[in-house]
Amino acid sequence: MFSPDRTERLRGQLDTARRRLDTARSHTGRVATAAGAAVATAGLFTPEVTGESLVATVVATGAGLVFLPTRRGRTKEVRENTYDAEGRLTGSSLREVPSHQAKTASVLYAAPGVSLMAVLVAERIVPGVHWGEALAVALWSAGTWWLRPGRAARHMLVPPLPPVEKTADVAVAEQPAYDHPAAQWWAERAAVEGGAAPGTLLEEVERTGESAMRAVIRSVIPGEPVPDISVRRLSALMDVPEDLIAVGPVPGRGASVRLLTVGTADEALDARTVWATRIAPLAMPGATITEINFGRMTAAVDMTKEIDA
């Protein structure tokens, strides 16, 4: 079963393919219209091309009708309600009834070909060049090129997709602000194309010691795993020994994130540990912190200590 992200990507690819196919059909219709106008104009001056032109018109129109999705417009659903003698609704059901949409689309699609055949036959019957023939050729060419009956018939059965929103006039977004200098460094050095970790972001950066840190590497594409990251390349980029760099899974998370650790984490860095291991042995040997109270950030910090000598 596809994930929602994968399903959305597949839907986007199918929509793109449908738009390209519709564009190809549009270009084919334009070429056919130009070819019809050319043979009709040639028929004004010479009857030798009339037979071949009629055969080509019949084949092209027939092929188009064969591939026209008329089965989608043959029936339509109609809801039928039933009422009792007092006019109260007693039931409701859906029933398929014949639809005239398919027939209308077929007639509309065949109109350019049939009218072109009529013009060609008239050119063969009327001797010489008559102004009425020239007017008929001009009207057929301009009307078919402008109205595009074949395209309208197909869109009557299969509505076109909405146009893609234009992005050319949209202002370019500013460079995202990074919440930590290490994340910005990672984006500029490691996550660039051809870097040690392309297509990734560094998040949740945490200092675990004077020369140690821990962070989460995340893939910029939702649902995609973090690419394989070479510890050796990171070591060269960061100028840190390889044995002090580790890239592994994040506990409880999927492959779209990885845990990066650099250096050796110090012991707990809370106030009591820092006091006991770093300050007290040098400044006040034997003293311990038993209670720390912090006030609001807008007020002065109220810190009460009991020091046992």
Side-chain angles (χ1 to χ4, degrees):
M1 188 173 183
F2 295 131
S3 64
D5 294 334
R6 185 178 179 86
T7 303
E8 188 66 25
R9 287 198 300 272
L10 289 175
R11 185 181 294 110
Q13 293 172 357
L14 290 176
D15 290 346
T16 300
R18 285 183 56 188
R19 288 189 176 92
R20 290 178 178 175
L21 182 60
D22 189 64
T23 301
R25 289 197 186 103
S26 176
H27 293 336
T28 303
R30 290 298 195 189
V31 172
T33 301
V39 298
T41 303
L44 290 173
F45 306 98
T46 175
E48 282 77 9
V49 298
T50 303
E52 292 81 356
S53 301
L54 285 172
V55 173
T57 303
V58 171
V59 172
T61 304
L65 289 173
V66 168
F67 290 103
L68 192 67
T70 53
R71 62 184 181 277
R72 300 192 180 188
R74 289 176 181 171
T75 60
K76 62 180 179 180
E77 289 186 344
V78 176
R79 181 173 295 277
E80 292 184 343
N81 299 327
T82 56
Y83 302 88
D84 58 14
E86 298 180 357
R88 292 175 297 184
L89 181 66
T90 58
S92 179
S93 62
L94 290 175
R95 184 170 66 92
E96 289 189 351
V97 299
S99 174
H100 299 290
Q101 187 180 33
K103 295 180 180 179
T104 304
S106 299
V107 172
L108 184 62
Y109 190 91
V114 173
S115 58
L116 177 60
M117 287 186 286
V119 172
L120 293 174
V121 171
E123 290 176 347
R124 186 64 180 268
I125 295 175
V126 177
V129 180
H130 192 272
W131 66 269
E133 297 175 325
L135 179 61
V137 172
L139 290 177
W140 183 91
S141 303
T144 305
W145 187 272
W146 179 261
L147 299 177
R148 312 191 70 178
R151 185 178 178 86
R154 178 171 290 276
H155 287 172
M156 183 183 298
L157 300 172
V158 183
L161 293 172
V164 180
E165 296 181 0
K166 295 182 179 180
T167 57
D169 298 334
V170 179
V172 178
E174 296 182 359
Q175 190 74 13
Y178 299 98
D179 56 357
H180 197 280
Q184 183 174 2
W185 179 92
W186 182 272
E188 296 174 352
R189 302 289 185 86
V192 296
E193 189 68 26
T200 60
L201 294 174
L202 199 66
E203 299 178 336
E204 302 179 25
V205 182
E206 178 185 357
R207 182 179 178 182
T208 58
E210 291 185 359
S211 301
M213 62 165 285
R214 176 174 55 195
V216 173
I217 306 172
R218 179 174 65 84
S219 173
V220 295
I221 303 177
E224 290 294 324
V226 173
D228 294 334
I229 298 176
S230 171
V231 173
R232 186 178 182 184
R233 293 191 64 184
L234 281 180
S235 173
L237 184 63
M238 302 171 66
D239 195 19
V240 175
E242 293 182 52
D243 56 354
L244 296 181
I245 302 175
V247 178
V250 178
R253 301 288 300 277
S256 62
V257 291
R258 303 289 284 174
L259 181 63
L260 169 68
T261 57
V262 179
T264 303
D266 294 348
E267 296 180 356
L269 297 180
D270 59 278
R272 290 182 174 84
T273 303
V274 172
W275 177 272
T277 59
R278 300 183 182 181
I279 300 178
L282 299 176
M284 305 180 70
T288 59
I289 298 177
T290 61
E291 185 178 0
I292 302 176
N293 295 325
F294 293 96
R296 295 182 179 179
M297 294 300 294
T298 56
V301 177
D302 180 16
M303 179 181 294
T304 304
K305 304 177 184 178
E306 290 185 6
I307 303 176
D308 298 329

